[in-house]
Structure formats: structure tokens, C-alpha cells
């Protein structure tokens, strides 16, 4: 059935090593294209989608040993974006996208909060991704997005 299709899985890897599946999709996802390209040989998903559409089987991807994470920034606090986000850090961080202007007001909605941006992190292992995330989070945000006092 999937000879000419892609399947993507989204999941969490918990600190204990336990894997929690978020969702599985019987199609490729363009959101992960950059991550795939960075961590897989033959990982260009745009090229793979085009080949599949032509009925051509693409080269199977091969893991290179690198790790990637596509990280959303969600805010559970309200306020002016410029009072919460350091836009100089955002501009100087590769692949970091903040979807709000400094004068926009952040208003969380429900349990998900408000999506304010995203980034892609590339590293040699899970721990390097976690360190990058921690370091970027503390530089990028002037206030904790969950409303907890920042160190």
C-alpha cells in the first residue's frame, strides 16, 4: 500500500527513554522537510514527493547520525510580544521564526496557549538538542512562556 507514499510519525522521547506517539500520518509532511534533509542522506522530501507523484521510487533515506528537532514556541502568558521576545536573538538565530511583530499582543487560547514561532535545532545527539533548546529558550525569551519566574 505504501510503495509509492511516505509515512511520518510525530513523537516525544521522554527523559526516561520512553517514546510517546503523538500522531502517525499516511503522507509526508512538509513541516519536517528541513529536519529530514539535515539528518538523512537522500532525505530531500520535496524531491521524494515529486518522484512519488511521477510513480518513481525515491532512494531510501539513510540516517547520518545527526539529530533534529522542530520546536514550536507556545506562550501561556499575555503581553506585548516585544516585552516577551528578544527580537535581536531571534534574528541572529538560524532557522528561528517569530510570527509576531514586537507591538503585537500575545493572548493565549485554551490549553495550547498562543503559538508565537518555531525553530529547527540540529545536533549530534538528543542531549545536544536539549542543551540548544535550553540555551535558546533562556536567551530568546525575556519572560518564561509558562508564567514561571525565570532564573
Amino acid at each position: 500500500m505504501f510503495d509509492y507514499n511516505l509515512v511520518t510519525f510525530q513523537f516525544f522521547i521522554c527523559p526516561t527513554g520512553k517514546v510517546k506517539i503523538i500522531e502517525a500520518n499516511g503522507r509526508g509532511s512538509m513541516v519536517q522537510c528541513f529536519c529530514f534533509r539535515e539528518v538523512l542522506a537522500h532525505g530531500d522530501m520535496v524531491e521524494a514527493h515529486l518522484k512519488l507523484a511521477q510513480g518513481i521510487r525515491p532512494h531510501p533515506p539513510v540516517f547520518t547520525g545527526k539529530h533534529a528537532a522542530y520546536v514550536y514556541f507556545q506562550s501561556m502568558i499575555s503581553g506585548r510580544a516585544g516585552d516577551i521576545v528578544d527580537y535581536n536573538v531571534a534574528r541572529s538565530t538560524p532557522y528561528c521564526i517569530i510570527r509576531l511583530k514586537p507591538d503585537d499582543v500575545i493572548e493565549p487560547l485554551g490549553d495550547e496557549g498562543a503559538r508565537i514561532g518555531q525553530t529547527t535545532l540540529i545536533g549530534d545527539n538528543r542531549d545536544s538538542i536539549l542543551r540548544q533548546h535550553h540555551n535558546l529558550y533562556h536567551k530568546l525569551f525575556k519572560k518564561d512562556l509558562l508564567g514561571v519566574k525565570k532564573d
Side-chain angles (χ1 to χ4, degrees), residues 116-129:
I116 58 177
Q118 70 267 357
T119 192
T120 300
L121 303 173
I122 310 296
D124 293 327
N125 54 47
R126 177 184 171 274
D127 289 337
S128 73
I129 296 287

Side-chain angles (χ1 to χ4, degrees), residues 16-149:
T16 62
K18 184 177 180 177
V19 175
K20 293 186 179 183
I21 294 177
I22 300 167
E23 65 179 284
N25 296 299
R27 58 176 164 56
S29 173
M30 297 308 287
V31 169
Q32 290 91 14
C33 280
F34 180 78
C35 290
F36 292 152
R37 190 179 73 226
E38 290 296 311
V39 301
L40 301 171
H42 308 296
D44 185 337
M45 293 296 110
V46 174
E47 180 183 336
H49 280 278
L50 292 172
K51 284 185 176 183
L52 288 168
Q54 297 170 41
I56 301 168
R57 184 185 297 262
H59 293 289
V62 178
F63 184 55
T64 62
K66 287 185 177 181
H67 291 67
Y70 187 77
V71 179
Y72 290 110
F73 301 125
Q74 304 287 120
S75 179
M76 297 304 289
I77 61 173
S78 299
R80 189 178 150 275
D83 294 335
I84 296 170
V85 177
D86 187 327
Y87 281 83
N88 290 324
V89 172
R91 280 189 289 277
S92 66
T93 302
Y95 317 118
C96 182
I97 299 168
I98 299 298
R99 303 232 175 250
L100 303 170
K101 295 179 177 102
D103 287 329
D104 289 346
V105 175
I106 297 171
E107 283 296 333
L109 301 171
D111 292 338
E112 186 178 322
R115 180 169 301 161
I116 58 177
Q118 70 267 357
T119 192
T120 300
L121 303 173
I122 310 296
D124 293 327
N125 54 47
R126 177 184 171 274
D127 289 337
S128 73
I129 296 287
L130 291 173
R131 274 191 308 277
Q132 286 180 59
H133 181 268
H134 177 80
N135 293 338
L136 178 58
Y137 185 90
H138 285 287
K139 287 191 279 184
L140 185 59
F141 299 108
K142 300 172 185 176
K143 298 179 181 179
D144 186 85
L145 299 181
L146 296 176
V148 178
K149 185 179 177 192

